[in-house]
Amino acid sequence: MAEALIDVLRFIEGSTDEQMDADDAVKVLEGVAHVVGALSEEHRQELIALVGEVAAVETDPARRAFIEGFPEGFGLVDGASGQCG
């Protein structure tokens, strides 16, 4: 499930205006960030671990970079400290 979520978000983030309305894309990305931000600490840690597992086996450098940036980009960790927040 985590891998499917990552793929959908990567597609949305990388879409051009011809592929997807920019306002709709922002709404979806912000909605996901809100839901992820509302996770309990236990669920947040589980998702971070799952994302780490997906990144560890990814062979496509661009996809791996997106996956590795997912925790910070979607509010699972604080970018400045690397701490959950």
Side-chain angles (χ1 to χ4, degrees):
M1 185 63 93
E3 192 166 355
L5 175 63
I6 289 166
D7 285 340
V8 168
L9 295 174
R10 183 170 179 242
F11 172 79
I12 292 169
E13 191 170 272
S15 293
T16 64
D17 290 343
E18 291 79 34
Q19 294 172 312
M20 175 175 260
D21 179 74
D23 291 336
D24 290 340
V26 168
K27 287 177 188 176
V28 170
L29 296 173
E30 287 177 347
V32 170
H34 174 75
V35 170
V36 168
L39 291 174
S40 69
E41 185 60 27
E42 179 183 357
H43 289 137
R44 184 185 311 257
Q45 291 300 321
E46 288 177 17
L47 184 54
I48 291 169
L50 285 171
V51 170
E53 290 172 17
V54 172
V57 297
E58 181 55 54
T59 58
D60 176 350
R63 187 168 184 268
R64 181 180 211 150
F66 180 84
I67 296 167
E68 289 172 343
F70 180 86
E72 182 180 338
F74 286 88
L76 288 170
V77 297
D78 178 5
S81 66
Q83 299 296 312
C84 292

